[in-house]
Amino acid sequence: MVEIKEAPASTNIDLMQDFKDIVSSSNQDLIQENANVDGKSPCGQMNKFAGESAKFYAKQNMLRPEARQAMEDNYIHIHDLDYMPTGTATCCQIPLGKLLKKGFNTGHGHMRSPQSIMSAMALAAIVFQSNQNQQHGGQSFQAFDYDLAPYVKKSYEKRLHKLQQYQLPLDQKELEKLAWNETDQECYQACEAFIHNLNSLHSRSGGQVPFTSINYGTDTSREGRLIIKNLLLATQSGLGKGETPIFPIQIFKMKKGVNFYKGDPNHDLYQLALETTAKRLFPNFSFIDAPFNLAYYEEGNPDSEVAYMGCRTRIMANRHGEENSVGRGNISFTSINLVKIALTTSTMEAFMQKLEDYAEIVIRQLYERYLFQTNKLVNNFTFLHGEGVWTGSDELNSGDRLEKVLKQGSLSVGFIGLAECLKVLIGKHHGESEQAQELGEEIVSFLRKKCDEASECYDLNYSLIATPAEGLSGRFTKQDQKDFGRIEGVTDRDYYTNSFHIPVYYPIRAVEKIKREAVYHPYTNAGHITYIEVDGDISKNVKAIDTLVKTMAESGIGYGSINHPVDRCKSCGYTGMIDNECPACGITDERQFDRIRRITGYLVGTMDKWNTAKASEEHDRVRHV
């Protein structure tokens, strides 16, 4: 058991120093903890003032001594601690189709059901913006193509009816063809407007654009295919000056018999997705046929298709309702510092015991946070629950508590630094050694077992997430460096490796990286991702991306992504790979180049918003192809 001692209380002096750093914008790691937020803007600063104050309150008033001590001792990190006093949940897969069909109220008036694809896409963006203000994490549409296909049909029917009124010298088939062509054009414009909106609409007091994801790729209807095609084409076109859109995070769902093989009805759209990824980094790819995803799949039921969110979040299992992603999400999550546990134990037996102790602290802390969240009322979240975004919330009254709804969400235990942990324990990480790979699987499977046991004990959906550490990747490391110094391969960099990933600096073949990381995907049922770094102008080698995606599929990856340089010259608008000189206009001024890179799972339009740890990690990344 962890010995509980009197934990040192945070002081007003610490809080005042944070405030000074916010005012002066002198602490990059503080003000740019999240690269999607402009921490130097007035609203960004105000939100940071509020966030640091809320963290102070939560630490002093909402945590048990064991959890507070574990945080201060650098063993755990409670994600979104600043939102704990508000009782918000982390994220949600929004049932877009339901909201569009019945209409919804944003708090300033009722939006009726749209009658065209243009209106439906506009309302989809408004749904994202309205929802973002009532939770602290990301949000997603689980079946974007299926949800919007009915409104493509409405547009087609309106256009066909209008053409028929003109009494043109055309037969019915010619009129239908013309109506479909016009609908195709409208669909493209709607997709283009949707993407522009999601990169310009602000939420959270103007501090950031909504953190959004969309899943698509399996609707084989004519209407659904038009959505997929035009969404990809609009993404390829970019924003107003050719910029790569950083939102929404796009996830193309792969399924054998639907889009995987030549001859599959949507295989042509998969090829278009590969071309779009090569140019714009999105879409990422999810794999319905991975055994842990296929277990939920029902042919002909789009709700049963796995949906991911952002940089990895996944929810499917449900002890209290239907087992799918729709209208559900993660409630909260807390991560364990595997490296410190390894650094403070001398035997494997001691390591596993300490890991168990801190896993149990995290499980109890998540439960106590859950109890606070479930005591909130429907009218605290007028859109999220008042409009029925979460499954079951539309059956509640405005003054009802949220337990019935939130118990369908997930409570997630996360972890960071498996690679560095293994270096401490046996001198090699899992990219270097089979022994390390076996030990890594033993550690991660043990954490999954603790989550499964907690699910039985509390009758809640506890799950294991491969933590998407951004600010955390440096925060854990910085404190451990103070305590243990710089240890080669462990604390000698500015960051710890995310979750179960093989270190970004370690040279390994793409196929080998995929196979080694695939082992961990079945255990991390709350979310996972595998990245592959490729070099050069990948748009000239789409076949390479196809090979990587197919290798992920056959290796049992649940969710994967391809990283490569995407640069833009602000002087002439050239988009592609730029070294030190724009190949189009010859300019060499670095200030004229936007360098789009993936930070954890989302894109950032300029790297000057990255914290120092993630900037260091990006610098260390080696190419796998």
Side-chain angles (χ1 to χ4, degrees):
M1 294 294 292
V2 175
E3 179 187 357
I4 302 298
K5 54 182 183 285
E6 186 175 350
S10 299
T11 66
N12 289 329
I13 295 174
D14 296 329
L15 190 60
M16 287 303 107
Q17 183 58 54
D18 285 343
F19 287 171
K20 289 178 182 178
D21 290 343
I22 294 168
V23 171
S24 63
S25 298
S26 59
N27 186 339
Q28 180 78 357
D29 292 340
L30 177 65
I31 65 173
Q32 290 301 162
E33 187 175 18
N34 183 337
N36 187 35
V37 178
D38 184 359
K40 296 179 181 179
S41 70
C43 287
Q45 285 186 317
M46 283 300 296
N47 286 342
K48 200 62 186 172
F49 274 120
E52 294 306 308
S53 302
K55 286 179 188 177
F56 182 87
Y57 175 85
K59 286 179 184 178
Q60 297 304 308
N61 299 282
M62 301 186 72
L63 296 179
R64 277 194 184 187
E66 63 173 9
R68 183 169 61 245
Q69 180 181 314
M71 278 194 71
E72 292 174 348
D73 288 346
N74 211 40
Y75 284 108
I76 72 169
H77 175 78
I78 300 172
H79 293 268
D80 303 294
L81 183 64
D82 49 343
Y83 277 91
M84 183 182 280
T86 71
T88 62
T90 302
C91 58
C92 185
Q93 291 278 0
I94 300 171
L96 178 63
K98 182 178 82 170
L99 292 178
L100 293 180
K101 185 176 182 179
K102 73 180 185 65
F104 56 88
N105 193 322
T106 64
H108 303 284
H110 187 80
M111 306 290 121
R112 61 178 176 268
S113 182
Q115 298 303 305
S116 70
I117 186 58
M118 185 67 79
S119 297
M121 283 283 194
L123 290 181
I126 291 171
V127 166
F128 268 150
Q129 185 184 35
S130 300
N131 194 71
Q132 183 73 86
N133 290 312
Q134 299 196 357
Q135 58 177 43
H136 56 254
Q139 54 195 318
S140 177
F141 295 143
Q142 177 264 352
F144 194 63
D145 40 4
Y146 285 99
D147 286 343
L148 287 168
Y151 304 98
V152 175
K153 188 65 177 290
K154 285 179 181 290
S155 283
Y156 164 74
E157 290 171 345
K158 287 172 66 176
R159 290 181 177 278
L160 179 60
H161 178 73
K162 190 173 182 179
L163 288 170
Q164 288 171 335
Q165 305 309 304
Y166 291 152
Q167 297 183 341
L168 298 172
L170 302 171
D171 61 26
Q172 183 66 16
K173 284 189 176 180
E174 291 172 320
L175 287 174
E176 290 174 357
K177 182 179 180 180
L178 183 56
W180 276 117
N181 287 340
E182 290 184 358
T183 303
D184 192 3
Q185 294 173 23
E186 181 186 350
C187 190
Y188 177 83
Q189 291 174 334
C191 290
E192 185 178 52
F194 176 73
I195 291 171
H196 277 71
N197 279 334
L198 291 191
N199 287 273
S200 57
L201 288 172
H202 278 193
S203 63
R204 294 178 180 166
S205 304
Q208 67 182 102
V209 293
F211 195 101
T212 55
S213 305
I214 55 175
N215 295 260
Y216 58 84
T218 55
D219 188 346
T220 58
S221 70
R222 185 168 190 170
E223 296 83 359
R225 283 174 49 80
L226 279 185
I227 292 289
I228 299 167
K229 181 191 79 169
N230 286 298
L231 187 64
L232 291 167
L233 291 176
T235 302
Q236 285 193 25
S237 295
L239 301 179
K241 293 187 176 181
E243 304 97 322
T244 292
I246 62 174
F247 286 111
I249 295 169
Q250 298 182 37
I251 303 157
F252 191 92
K253 296 186 285 189
M254 297 294 295
K255 179 73 183 75
K256 292 176 181 177
V258 176
N259 51 36
F260 196 87
Y261 297 116
K262 287 183 179 178
D264 286 350
N266 280 3
H267 186 261
D268 58 332
L269 297 176
Y270 165 59
Q271 296 301 308
L272 184 60
L274 294 175
E275 295 170 13
T276 308
T277 296
K279 185 174 183 179
R280 298 296 187 184
L281 285 164
F282 287 145
N284 301 337
F285 296 89
S286 66
F287 302 95
I288 294 173
D289 291 309
F292 46 87
N293 291 332
L294 191 61
Y296 299 98
Y297 178 73
E298 299 173 7
E299 187 172 355
N301 177 12
D303 286 355
S304 71
E305 296 177 359
V306 67
Y308 287 83
M309 186 186 308
C311 47
R312 68 202 64 202
T313 306
R314 171 189 182 274
I315 183 170
M316 291 298 288
N318 189 4
R319 300 175 70 89
H320 299 285
E322 290 189 49
E323 294 196 304
N324 58 40
S325 298
V326 185
R328 304 169 58 219
N330 180 252
I331 306 169
S332 58
F333 77 103
T334 298
S335 292
I336 298 172
N337 181 354
L338 295 180
V339 190
K340 180 155 189 185
I341 294 177
L343 286 168
T344 54
T345 50
S346 56
T347 66
M348 271 307 303
E349 183 179 3
F351 171 83
M352 295 303 290
Q353 182 60 59
K354 198 165 191 176
L355 180 61
E356 182 171 26
D357 291 342
Y358 279 102
E360 289 177 352
I361 287 174
V362 168
I363 286 165
R364 287 192 291 269
Q365 177 268 314
L366 287 169
Y367 181 66
E368 289 166 1
R369 186 173 185 174
Y370 165 81
L371 292 178
F372 179 79
Q373 290 165 310
T374 58
N375 271 315
K376 289 290 184 176
L377 307 179
V378 171
N379 60 23
N380 293 130
F381 305 94
T382 53
F383 187 81
L384 190 66
H385 298 299
E387 291 301 308
V389 174
W390 270 70
T391 295
S393 59
D394 47 5
E395 300 172 7
L396 302 178
N397 298 315
S398 62
D400 289 345
R401 293 171 60 250
L402 295 174
E403 181 180 8
K404 179 181 177 182
V405 174
L406 291 185
K407 68 181 180 181
Q408 298 194 62
S410 63
L411 299 168
S412 298
V413 178
F415 62 95
I416 186 172
L418 179 65
E420 290 80 7
C421 166
L422 293 169
K423 290 285 282 188
V424 175
L425 294 174
I426 62 172
K428 293 181 182 295
H429 60 68
H430 52 310
E432 300 174 296
S433 153
E434 283 300 328
Q435 180 190 2
Q437 173 75 330
E438 291 173 6
L439 181 56
E441 185 175 0
E442 180 183 342
I443 291 168
V444 174
S445 65
F446 176 79
L447 286 173
R448 171 61 185 274
K449 179 172 173 283
K450 295 301 296 182
C451 291
D452 291 345
E453 290 173 352
S455 295
E456 292 294 329
C457 177
Y458 292 96
D459 194 25
L460 293 170
N461 299 311
Y462 276 90
S463 54
L464 183 65
I465 187 168
T467 293
E470 187 176 331
L472 178 59
S473 68
R475 188 180 304 115
F476 271 161
T477 313
K478 189 177 294 184
Q479 185 58 50
D480 286 348
Q481 285 173 346
K482 290 180 182 178
D483 295 340
F484 304 100
R486 288 184 174 267
I487 303 169
E488 184 178 356
V490 181
T491 59
D492 57 343
R493 288 179 165 81
D494 292 334
Y495 56 90
Y496 286 150
T497 300
N498 269 5
S499 60
F500 57 67
H501 293 171
I502 290 168
V504 297
Y505 53 80
Y506 182 70
I508 185 171
R509 292 175 60 245
V511 172
E512 186 66 18
K513 184 177 191 291
I514 289 169
K515 289 181 177 179
R516 285 183 177 268
E517 292 190 1
V519 168
Y520 301 96
H521 282 230
Y523 297 114
T524 47
N525 56 336
H528 41 245
I529 195 167
T530 284
Y531 298 111
I532 294 297
E533 299 281 339
V534 298
D535 204 358
D537 186 356
I538 197 67
S539 64
K540 295 181 173 61
N541 190 6
V542 174
K543 180 62 178 174
I545 300 182
D546 178 47
T547 300
L548 291 172
V549 172
K550 295 288 179 63
T551 301
M552 288 180 180
E554 299 303 337
S555 300
I557 292 289
Y559 183 33
S561 180
I562 313 298
N563 290 345
H564 56 92
V566 174
D567 304 319
R568 186 181 72 90
C569 176
K570 290 186 278 188
S571 178
C572 70
Y574 170 82
T575 299
M577 186 176 175
I578 303 174
D579 289 324
N580 299 316
E581 177 182 319
C582 175
C585 69
I587 195 168
T588 58
D589 185 353
E590 179 65 29
R591 294 170 297 182
Q592 292 298 312
F593 303 146
D594 282 335
R595 300 194 182 276
I596 303 291
R597 300 294 185 270
R598 202 184 308 270
I599 185 165
T600 52
Y602 63 94
L603 306 183
V604 181
T606 170
M607 287 184 63
D608 61 12
K609 291 183 180 179
W610 288 38
N611 62 61
T612 55
K614 294 306 289 185
S616 177
E617 186 239 75
E618 194 279 336
H619 179 269
D620 289 348
R621 293 176 186 174
V622 298
R623 310 304 178 201
H624 305 120
V625 180

